[in-house]
Amino acid sequence: MDKNIPYKTYLEESEMPKQWYNVRADMKNKPAPLLNPATLKPMTAEELGVVFCDELVQQELNTTDAYIDIPEEIREFYKMYRPSPLVRAYCLEKALGTPAKIYYKFEGNNTSGSHKLNSAIAQAYYAKKQGLKGVTTETGAGQWGTALSMACAYFGLDCKVYMVKVSYEQKPFRREVMRTYGASVTPSPSDTTNVGRKILAEHPGTTGSLGCAISEAVEVAVGSEGYRYVLGSVLNQVLLHQSVIGLESLAAFEKLGEKPDIIIGCAGGGSNLGGLISPFMGQKLRGEADYRFIAVEPASCPSLTRGKYAYDYCDTGMVCPLAKMYTLGSGFIPSANHAGGLRYHGMSSTLSQLYDDKLMEAVSVEQTKVFEAAQQFARIEGILPAPESSHAIRVAIDEALKCKETGEEKTILFGLTGTGYFDMVAYQKFNDGEMSDYIPTDEDLAKGFAGLPKVD
Amino acid sequence: MDKNIPYKTYLEESEMPKQWYNVRADMKNKPAPLLNPATLKPMTAEELGVVFCDELVQQELNTTDAYIDIPEEIREFYKMYRPSPLVRAYCLEKALGTPAKIYYKFEGNNTSGSHKLNSAIAQAYYAKKQGLKGVTTETGAGQWGTALSMACAYFGLDCKVYMVKVSYEQKPFRREVMRTYGASVTPSPSDTTNVGRKILAEHPGTTGSLGCAISEAVEVAVGSEGYRYVLGSVLNQVLLHQSVIGLESLAAFEKLGEKPDIIIGCAGGGSNLGGLISPFMGQKLRGEADYRFIAVEPASCPSLTRGKYAYDYCDTGMVCPLAKMYTLGSGFIPSANHAGGLRYHGMSSTLSQLYDDKLMEAVSVEQTKVFEAAQQFARIEGILPAPESSHAIRVAIDEALKCKETGEEKTILFGLTGTGYFDMVAYQKFNDGEMSDYIPTDEDLAKGFAGLPKVD
């Protein structure tokens, strides 16, 4: 091992970020604004305030302030599970025989099991500050719902979670964690909302989708006194909160006197990737440093690598604003064999713009290769990774093996967003040799694109 | 919060222990030796070497060396998930309104989910060093089996786990984690061993016990070329390895300029409790400091508080040596409503002797009260605790509330041995109001005592 680089680097609590970083402030081409689906005009703060907490609306629309203070109460909560470690993967390097230095920022050491808690606690805080009774949300794989239920328990807020039905049934333990934290969990589509009843009538027996669960959660928030809707990814406000990942990583690298060459993150809606790369991207945008950024998405849900950059609905029920993003169309649902999260049809507007401006690369990977990397990583580095995070592991290993061929001593940083303790059904499939891959055909994608709204 | 005490205190990697501490060296009354069940004479190293790895036998029998070097390879592995944090439970203190200072040593931030990995990696290392092919073991709640499968994957050893049948069936995901790490997992009793077949014939439909799984694992180890048996608790060698918990805790307290008054740990076979208290007990034994030590056990399996201090079989099949310990009799099996681990009929010889010498206290708690504490802790401190660990939480909260009454500013340290992510069936029962308590009657206990061997 390198003499001055420990396995794990933790910042002191006094070194933890006191402000989030808003990458939009440094972007020349700003991400496109959300549009009102009725008027096709940019959503105003007032319109957004019906759905979202006031302070979060301000953060959503703020494209100019590079730094936004993290309230004291949130920083105190962060101290319960942060700073997260920046880990040098010595054992993995040795096993691969690569000259590359591999680092990962590990966000899984908290009960929600992922980075999602970073934004959940912020959103719950602003809801509490606004005097709300509670919040509604959707969850797919369950990480976001778990994180939000923890945050709501901490601030004494009611928490209503709409959980994609297939996950609700396959992951009873995720549900039980949320219940332990006092949240109510409803399988979606449900008969508790208009949009849920409509979808059930049109598609009896459907196992649900993230887009559908979003529609239900929004409907309940808008129709209930003292409630707002909160979302765990895609939105600018979420990327803002998640910047704490990148800020801590940057500070840790500076402490070590190191600098990454390649930064890799898995990408579903973009919350982890956006949070991890933001401060580094800021340096690149300001011409202070250069990095390669790689977004990794599943081949079964390839919004960046095969999607269109267009305005689209954020949800299946089309009750949400339109967002300009790389998208597969709001009607796109990944094949049933797809395990874990990273199943959203679109991608954060901010990341979409950065990708369109060629400031970031994207690759897609097939899930059997992802689980091979997951198993290899688990056995070598001792952490059982979430399927989502394992997308980043796959590409980090691939890049490290390229270095082995070329002899280059590159420094690789990837985001290890979470643990796979609630994903053992997927691991079991892999262990039993029953996991399969799926790559949508161009015809499959064309169906999704056909549902894109016409916006000039 | 106290100005100079952070939420989490991590030692530097350079400050991590380089030696384990062997509390037996400082004990005036040594724990009684293991006896050969045939001759009733103390087991020799040669006899023990049939079952255990040679180096571990030396550690088992060593009652004189206070410090034993931790091999470099084990210290490197420790760096992947250690040092574990010493956490100041500021939020819990505030919620309880207590003047007490509450600390916990959190051992759950690794994929095995508990402290068990500390000894698993040591035992796997010595097996590898001896040139063995593999090891066998038993697991109840699954934490030990998971830890051992991780350790064996790291050193490339075969790992055969006999898992108590009721756990095997109720915890398929634990099993799957072990399989992901390459272990083979067999439900016990099984038809792969003589003792298993005998028990199945006598008790068809039995859901197994830890004592029975031990017998099977030992039989396979002894009968297979290049295999030895390893155990995750009870033994002196295990307490030795687990002393890393207490050593790190002591070093962290010294760094903070603090000192605990009360040290609390859950007790099943004693691995965590023994490891946590050892270095503090050493100070007490040497007259350098004084502490109150409290062992917490389930009311449904009360070996210390209601057991007899006597020689007993360590396993149901009576193939293991006899140990002098507080015991309920090797035939005792906790009621089916008992959740989680802490179900072993006996207790570490070392802890039994310390308890008999009145150097340590013991209390028993009922499981609904334990889960109330678990839920409260999860919501306030953000970590979903293992049912086992929650026994210690219960008593830590009770002691903190006593301080509230008396106004005393005591400093409490408890061991948070692990997380409850694989215990959601038990949490679900609690959430649904279906959890019950069970306290064995004196008649129930008398049945277990009747099976104690006659040893003078």
Side-chain angles (χ1 to χ4, degrees), chain A residues 61-253:
Chain A
L61 298 175
N62 188 331
T63 60
T64 50
D65 295 324
Y67 288 94
I68 292 174
D69 287 345
I70 307 175
E72 172 78 17
E73 291 87 339
I74 297 173
R75 287 196 284 126
E76 287 300 301
F77 188 88
Y78 278 169
K79 286 181 194 165
M80 288 213 289
Y81 71 100
R82 307 197 67 83
S84 71
L86 178 71
V87 185
R88 177 74 183 268
Y90 283 116
C91 294
L92 183 60
E93 290 172 16
K94 196 175 155 193
L96 297 175
T98 177
K101 300 179 189 174
I102 307 176
Y103 289 88
Y104 56 92
K105 180 72 169 167
F106 181 40
E107 293 287 316
N109 271 348
N110 70 75
T111 285
S112 82
S114 83
H115 66 293
K116 295 283 183 181
L117 197 51
N118 300 329
S119 184
I121 194 62
Q123 298 194 48
Y125 167 76
Y126 291 118
K128 185 70 181 178
K129 205 178 145 206
Q130 195 175 325
L132 298 178
K133 282 186 211 159
V135 292
T136 71
T137 198
E138 80 296 329
T139 199
Q143 293 174 340
W144 168 247
T146 310
L148 189 68
S149 66
M150 290 174 66
C152 286
Y154 185 76
F155 284 123
L157 283 167
D158 185 40
C159 180
K160 295 184 199 298
V161 179
Y162 283 82
M163 187 170 187
V164 177
K165 192 179 276 175
V166 61
S167 285
Y168 183 90
E169 286 165 358
Q170 283 185 0
K171 297 190 167 187
F173 295 164
R174 270 281 185 210
R175 182 182 76 206
E176 220 48 55
V177 178
M178 291 184 251
R179 285 184 68 208
T180 300
Y181 281 93
S184 71
V185 188
T186 307
S188 167
S190 76
D191 61 6
T192 65
T193 64
N194 291 327
V195 64
R197 285 186 290 269
K198 184 162 172 271
I199 291 170
L200 282 172
E202 286 169 9
H203 307 279
T206 175
T207 55
S209 72
L210 215 46
C212 165
I214 293 174
S215 301
E216 291 204 80
V218 170
E219 183 184 320
V220 171
V222 172
S224 309
E225 182 72 29
Y227 280 79
R228 292 292 185 283
Y229 167 72
V230 297
L231 179 63
S233 191
V234 183
L235 296 175
N236 294 316
Q237 58 189 264
V238 177
L239 267 68
L240 176 73
H241 307 147
Q242 294 295 357
S243 69
V244 70
I245 306 172
L247 290 164
E248 280 188 10
S249 302
L250 187 59
F253 271 111

Side-chain angles (χ1 to χ4, degrees), chain A residues 1 5-10 12-13 76-83 87 91 104 106 108-113 117 150 153-154 170 172-183 374-375 377-385 419-422 424-425 427-429 431-432, chain B residues 1 5-10 12-13 76-83 87 91 104 106 108-113 117 150 153-154 170 172-183 374-375 377-385 419-422 424-425 427-429 431-432:
Chain A
M1 60 181 285
I5 311 276
Y7 277 71
K8 291 186 256 70
T9 301
Y10 288 101
E12 300 289 326
E13 284 175 8
E76 287 300 301
F77 188 88
Y78 278 169
K79 286 181 194 165
M80 288 213 289
Y81 71 100
R82 307 197 67 83
V87 185
C91 294
Y104 56 92
F106 181 40
N109 271 348
N110 70 75
T111 285
S112 82
L117 197 51
M150 290 174 66
Y154 185 76
Q170 283 185 0
F173 295 164
R174 270 281 185 210
R175 182 182 76 206
E176 220 48 55
V177 178
M178 291 184 251
R179 285 184 68 208
T180 300
Y181 281 93
Q375 187 195 61
F377 184 83
R379 292 185 180 182
I380 295 169
E381 285 284 320
I383 297 170
L384 188 85
T419 50
Y421 308 147
F422 291 92
M424 296 318 297
V425 169
Y427 271 98
Q428 183 166 5
K429 268 195 188 156
N431 291 338
D432 290 338
Chain B
M1 59 181 287
I5 312 276
Y7 276 73
K8 291 186 258 68
T9 301
Y10 288 100
E12 300 289 328
E13 284 175 9
E76 288 299 302
F77 187 88
Y78 278 170
K79 286 182 193 165
M80 288 214 288
Y81 70 101
R82 307 197 67 83
V87 185
C91 294
Y104 56 91
F106 181 41
N109 271 348
N110 71 75
T111 285
S112 82
L117 196 52
M150 290 175 66
Y154 185 76
Q170 283 184 1
F173 295 164
R174 270 281 184 211
R175 182 183 75 207
E176 221 47 54
V177 178
M178 291 184 253
R179 285 185 68 209
T180 300
Y181 281 93
Q375 187 194 63
F377 184 82
R379 292 185 181 184
I380 294 168
E381 286 284 320
I383 297 170
L384 188 85
T419 50
Y421 308 147
F422 291 92
M424 297 317 298
V425 169
Y427 271 99
Q428 182 167 5
K429 268 194 188 156
N431 292 337
D432 290 339

Side-chain angles (χ1 to χ4, degrees), chain B residues 149-325:
Chain B
S149 65
M150 290 175 66
C152 286
Y154 185 76
F155 284 122
L157 283 167
D158 185 40
C159 180
K160 295 184 198 299
V161 179
Y162 283 82
M163 187 170 187
V164 178
K165 192 179 276 174
V166 61
S167 286
Y168 183 89
E169 286 165 358
Q170 283 184 1
K171 297 190 168 187
F173 295 164
R174 270 281 184 211
R175 182 183 75 207
E176 221 47 54
V177 178
M178 291 184 253
R179 285 185 68 209
T180 300
Y181 281 93
S184 71
V185 188
T186 307
S188 166
S190 76
D191 60 5
T192 66
T193 64
N194 292 326
V195 64
R197 285 187 289 270
K198 183 161 171 269
I199 290 171
L200 282 172
E202 287 169 8
H203 308 280
T206 176
T207 55
S209 72
L210 214 46
C212 165
I214 293 174
S215 300
E216 291 205 81
V218 170
E219 183 183 321
V220 171
V222 171
S224 309
E225 181 72 27
Y227 280 77
R228 291 294 184 282
Y229 166 71
V230 297
L231 179 63
S233 192
V234 183
L235 296 174
N236 294 316
Q237 58 188 267
V238 177
L239 268 68
L240 176 73
H241 306 147
Q242 294 295 356
S243 69
V244 70
I245 305 173
L247 290 164
E248 279 187 10
S249 302
L250 186 59
F253 270 112
E254 282 171 358
K255 226 174 153 172
L256 295 175
E258 296 273 300
K259 182 187 162 299
D261 299 301
I262 309 174
I263 304 177
I264 300 166
C266 62
S271 69
N272 147 68
L273 179 69
L276 175 67
I277 71 173
S278 279
F280 298 97
M281 183 63 83
Q283 291 185 330
K284 182 165 174 162
L285 290 165
R286 297 189 302 270
E288 296 164 10
D290 196 18
Y291 305 96
R292 263 185 80 198
F293 301 103
I294 308 178
V296 189
E297 57 185 16
S300 56
C301 192
S303 53
L304 284 173
T305 51
R306 297 179 68 198
K308 295 207 165 155
Y309 191 35
Y311 267 103
D312 192 11
Y313 301 103
C314 292
D315 63 325
T316 313
M318 306 175 186
V319 299
C320 291
L322 301 179
K324 188 174 179 190
M325 54 186 179

Side-chain angles (χ1 to χ4, degrees), chain B residues 380-395:
Chain B
I380 294 168
E381 286 284 320
I383 297 170
L384 188 85
E388 297 82 10
S389 326
S390 304
H391 288 71
I393 297 174
R394 171 75 273 161
V395 173

